[in-house]
Amino acid sequence: MDRIDFLRKVAAGGSLLLIAPAFMTSCSKDDDMTDPGNGGGNEGITIDLTDSAFDALDTVGGYAYSGTLIIFRTGTDNYMALSRKCTHQGCDVTYSHANGNIPCPCHGSMYTTSGVVTNGPAMANLKSYTVTKSGNTLTIK
C-alpha cells in the first residue's frame, strides 16, 4: 500500500465514522411525532370526533388509533389515551377487544386497558396521557 492509497482509506473511514451516528439514530424507537409527550408541545394533539376515523369513540367502550396512540372512551365524557409503544423494545401494541387487553406481538408482553403491565418481559407500564374534551374535540397531552 502506498502513501496516497493509505490516506484515501483513512479519509474514507474517518468520514464514515463522522456520519454513521446520524444514520443510526435517525430511526430510533423514540422517534414519535404524534406522541403528545414528544413533539406535541405544550398544546398537545387534537382529535376531531366528527372525523369518521374516530366513529368508534361515539360509544362508551369504543377505541381508536391515532398515530402512536390508542384512545379509549371510558365514560359519557371520559376518554383515556395510551402510547402504542411497548415499553420492552418499542414494538407497536394493539388493543385486543375480544380479550380486553393490549398484547405486544413481538415478545409477549401484556397490558391492561389502563396500560398496566401484567405479563413481561416488559417491566414498565404504557405511557398514559391526559385527555380533555371540549365540544367535538379531544386534546391529548
Side-chain angles (χ1 to χ4, degrees):
M1 174 184 310
D2 64 11
R3 182 178 180 184
I4 291 179
D5 190 35
F6 173 76
L7 291 174
R8 282 185 190 145
K9 289 183 180 188
V10 168
S15 297
L16 183 60
L17 288 174
L18 290 174
I19 63 171
F23 286 112
M24 291 179 179
T25 61
S26 64
C27 293
S28 73
K29 69 180 183 180
D30 294 329
D31 288 348
D32 202 359
M33 293 309 292
T34 59
D35 181 341
N38 186 16
N42 290 335
E43 63 278 352
I45 64 167
T46 58
I47 302 293
D48 181 359
L49 292 173
T50 63
D51 183 333
S52 63
F54 302 106
D55 283 349
L57 295 175
D58 288 346
T59 59
V60 174
Y63 69 97
Y65 300 107
S66 178
T68 59
L69 300 175
I70 305 173
I71 305 159
F72 295 97
R73 183 165 182 183
T74 59
T76 304
D77 285 321
N78 298 330
Y79 297 82
M80 166 174 101
L82 298 171
S83 171
R84 289 186 62 195
K85 297 293 180 185
C86 179
T87 58
H88 174 237
Q89 288 190 345
C91 293
D92 285 338
V93 297
T94 56
Y95 175 56
S96 173
H97 187 69
N99 296 321
N101 60 22
I102 303 171
C104 178
C106 295
H107 301 105
S109 293
M110 192 77 61
Y111 303 89
T112 67
T113 56
S114 58
V116 176
V117 66
T118 59
N119 187 52
M123 300 292 287
N125 298 337
L126 293 174
K127 187 171 182 179
S128 63
Y129 299 95
T130 302
V131 181
T132 56
K133 181 181 180 205
S134 178
N136 287 321
T137 302
L138 296 181
T139 301
I140 304 170
K141 295 183 181 181

